[in-house]
Amino acid sequence: MPEFDLLLRDADVIDGSGTPRFRADVGVRNGLIAAVGDLGNASASQVVSLDGLALSPGFIDVHTHDDRLVLSDPAMTPKVSQGVTTVIVGNCGISLAPMGMTPPTPPLNLIAGDQDAHRFDNFADYFAAMDAAPPATNCAALVGHTTLRARTMASLEREANDTEIAAMRALVDEALRSGAIGASTGTFYAPAKPATPREVQAVFEPLRGTDAVIASHVRDETGPVLDSIDEVLGIAAALGVRQVISHHKVVGKPNFGRSRETLAHFDTRRREAADPTRVCLDCYPYAASSTILRADTVAIAKKTLIAWSIPIPEASGRTIDEFAAERKLSIEQAIEALQPAGAIYFSMDEPDVERILAYPETMVGSDGLPHDRFPHPRLWGAFPRVLGHYSRDRGLMPLERAVHKMTGLSAMRFGLKGRGFVHPGCAADLVVFDPQRVRDAATFEAPTRPAEGIIQVLVNGVATWVDGRHTGARSGQAIRRRH
Ligand code: ZN
Ligand code: CU
């Protein structure tokens, strides 16, 4: 019997911890990293010589809306092609479980299909579906507050009453017992806007005393951004759990430059926290955002691209200005005519994006919207863009630190044990890439072009992406929180 299933020789190992790379061999056995070091003439069923290419942990996409994609298109090509081996779903308050047959009011329509397939009353069923038909990446899940409201409340225009809170709490309980790693909120969106901090804290009471996490799309990323951050940090602190500020940014021209203030604020809040690792954030590496089409967001964007529209699908990829002019509509009328719809908003300042990405505590998440007809390029490019454009070309941070932000740091903050590092005993989620060539190829004009320089991707030890091609492997696992 050979010692290893796979032996990767002469790799430049970037192990996910942020420390300098080192030359080593890595042995994989039974889906796990079995040994790292000079493995001499160890025997293996398969030996691959990497000749100094970079070998790092597979990337963890901490901010996704892949809830349905893991089942509807389990090859997960937009993610695997970037080197992503784990996705965290259920962000921004939006989760597929336990949506059940609740009508998918926006923004739930970003993930819910119009078919009855892939609808789940609870997390046990959602995870069971993934076990039965595994996707190509691992998947960990958050339970979304907006989903809970839509599922339990007769009217979404007010705060939840005690009966509704009890019903939501029971669903949170089920989610946690079934293996959800935490919860998410999105009070930015209409169906959750009337929720008060009191409601959110009461609904998430079952998280108290656990190592679960809350990730939040905060109420307002414009003028009141600091208050919005403090609102969610306050709830998490009261529950004694970790809080992630999702896709941290400052939007709208009057707020350009204010990332100086928000990052100093994070420093302060981390210093004051009972545990500084409870104050967390992620971002995507672009100066444009994307979500459902809404007038207030169009109003503060320099330019808005239509990502999808149910009644007028052919408008996808056009700017809202062009579309309105062509149809002789006002912007307001154009927005109305396109609904339900999604859009890409150019409403950030590049120096803010760089400053936030470079902040040592910031993790990388794509926030990709996989069901959009004309998606934001972050869906196919976020991770290679950080490695190529921001780390190598712009020199924003050493490659080791860039990798840490998408592997070890993410695994620690989201409580994914045994992942995120090239260490013996960790899952063999690995990516081989060429540091000189790695780059994102997806653009706002051609948003679904696969990245370059990602040479090999292993998920739980199984080769899934090799030399620019998907192998068809689907060796991902539903990652359940361990109690
Ligand atoms: Zn969001
Ligand atoms: Cu999101």
Side-chain angles (χ1 to χ4, degrees):
M1 264 280 273
E3 215 172 322
F4 301 114
D5 302 329
L6 171 67
L7 182 54
L8 300 161
R9 281 209 185 277
D10 293 322
D12 252 355
V13 177
I14 300 177
D15 72 359
S17 68
T19 54
R21 67 193 87 178
F22 55 93
R23 186 61 66 96
D25 309 323
V26 174
V28 172
R29 189 169 54 227
N30 295 331
L32 300 177
I33 296 167
V36 181
D38 181 353
L39 300 179
N41 347 320
S43 60
S45 310
Q46 196 197 349
V47 180
V48 178
S49 177
L50 295 185
D51 207 14
L53 288 171
L55 176 70
S56 79
F59 307 140
I60 298 171
D61 191 347
V62 297
H63 192 105
T64 85
H65 296 285
D66 294 341
D67 301 53
R68 180 160 59 94
L69 190 74
V70 291
L71 299 166
S72 68
D73 195 358
M76 300 290 289
T77 308
K79 297 301 168 73
V80 168
S81 60
Q82 295 185 55
V84 170
T85 55
T86 297
V87 297
I88 296 176
V89 303
N91 277 285
C92 295
I94 310 163
S95 61
L96 197 55
M99 204 185 290
M101 295 311 290
T102 309
T105 172
L108 300 181
N109 59 348
L110 289 174
I111 58 163
D114 41 11
Q115 308 293 315
D116 294 354
H118 311 310
R119 292 301 195 92
F120 300 94
D121 277 331
N122 56 57
F123 272 83
D125 290 353
Y126 180 55
F127 285 131
M130 252 187 276
D131 291 343
T137 64
N138 305 301
C139 177
L142 306 167
V143 54
H145 173 240
T146 301
T147 293
L148 296 171
R149 280 176 61 90
R151 165 82 184 264
T152 54
M153 295 177 68
S155 162
L156 294 171
E157 274 148 40
R158 52 169 175 79
E159 185 186 13
N161 63 35
D162 289 348
T163 317
E164 290 158 344
I165 286 173
M168 288 193 262
R169 209 184 270 185
L171 292 167
V172 172
D173 246 325
E174 190 279 331
L176 293 178
R177 267 187 289 110
S178 299
I181 60 163
S184 77
T185 68
T187 48
F188 166 72
Y189 293 106
K193 202 172 230 167
T196 58
R198 191 195 75 91
E199 172 190 318
V200 175
Q201 187 181 325
V203 168
F204 292 145
E205 198 56 46
L207 273 68
R208 187 185 292 279
T210 73
D211 59 357
V213 61
I214 305 178
S216 296
H217 183 157
V218 299
R219 207 174 275 283
D220 199 325
E221 295 170 325
T222 64
V225 61
L226 294 179
D227 288 344
S228 294
I229 291 169
D230 282 345
E231 176 186 342
V232 298
L233 288 177
I235 296 168
L239 293 169
V241 297
R242 213 172 283 134
Q243 175 69 50
V244 178
I245 308 297
S246 295
H247 46 59
H248 177 52
K249 56 183 167 298
V250 285
V251 302
K253 201 150 188 213
N255 301 301
F256 285 3
R258 289 190 63 208
S259 58
R260 283 193 196 85
E261 233 179 288
T262 61
L263 295 174
H265 195 70
F266 278 111
D267 283 338
T268 308
R269 289 292 178 255
R270 281 169 44 73
R271 252 192 324 269
E272 293 167 353
D275 170 355
T277 71
R278 285 192 190 152
V279 180
C280 316
L281 66 157
D282 64 55
C283 79
Y284 49 80
Y286 297 86
S289 65
S290 182
T291 184
I292 49 174
L293 179 63
R294 41 190 275 182
D296 59 344
T297 312
V298 172
I300 58 173
K302 281 199 290 280
K303 181 170 105 179
T304 300
L305 279 175
I306 300 157
W308 58 276
S309 161
I310 296 291
I312 314 176
E314 64 276 16
S316 310
R318 319 275 317 273
T319 71
I320 192 94
D321 291 350
E322 278 164 15
F323 172 80
E326 185 185 285
R327 305 241 170 168
K328 299 192 168 43
L329 300 171
S330 69
I331 297 295
E332 292 67 34
Q333 290 166 329
I335 292 170
E336 205 43 54
L338 289 160
Q339 299 290 1
I344 297 164
Y345 306 96
F346 295 81
S347 54
M348 288 174 247
D349 199 26
E350 181 64 24
D352 284 320
V353 175
E354 293 202 347
R355 205 174 287 123
I356 291 168
L357 182 61
Y359 185 68
E361 282 297 313
T362 307
M363 298 174 271
V364 179
S366 70
D367 204 6
L369 296 168
H371 308 293
D372 288 13
R373 185 177 165 121
F374 191 88
H376 187 304
R378 64 195 184 183
L379 176 65
W380 286 80
F383 292 82
R385 183 169 173 79
V386 174
L387 302 174
H389 177 70
Y390 284 112
S391 169
R392 181 192 57 224
D393 300 345
R394 295 277 304 139
L396 213 55
M397 66 198 100
L399 188 57
E400 286 85 347
R401 202 140 69 75
V403 168
H404 178 58
K405 289 169 167 294
M406 44 183 86
T407 57
L409 182 66
S410 319
M412 290 189 293
R413 297 296 184 259
F414 279 86
L416 307 179
K417 299 184 183 81
R419 309 220 179 239
F421 296 94
V422 183
H423 289 169
C426 280
D429 293 340
L430 295 165
V431 52
V432 176
F433 64 95
D434 182 343
Q436 300 313 313
R437 283 206 308 126
V438 68
R439 63 180 280 268
D440 57 307
T443 63
F444 289 97
E445 293 74 39
T448 62
R449 252 193 241 138
E452 293 167 14
I454 302 292
I455 292 158
Q456 185 155 168
V457 181
L458 299 166
V459 180
N460 296 305
V462 179
T464 304
W465 184 263
V466 178
D467 296 329
R469 260 173 219 268
H470 204 299
T471 64
R474 285 165 53 183
S475 61
Q477 298 169 358
I479 298 177
R480 291 170 168 89
R481 194 176 64 93
R482 294 182 213 157
H483 314 249

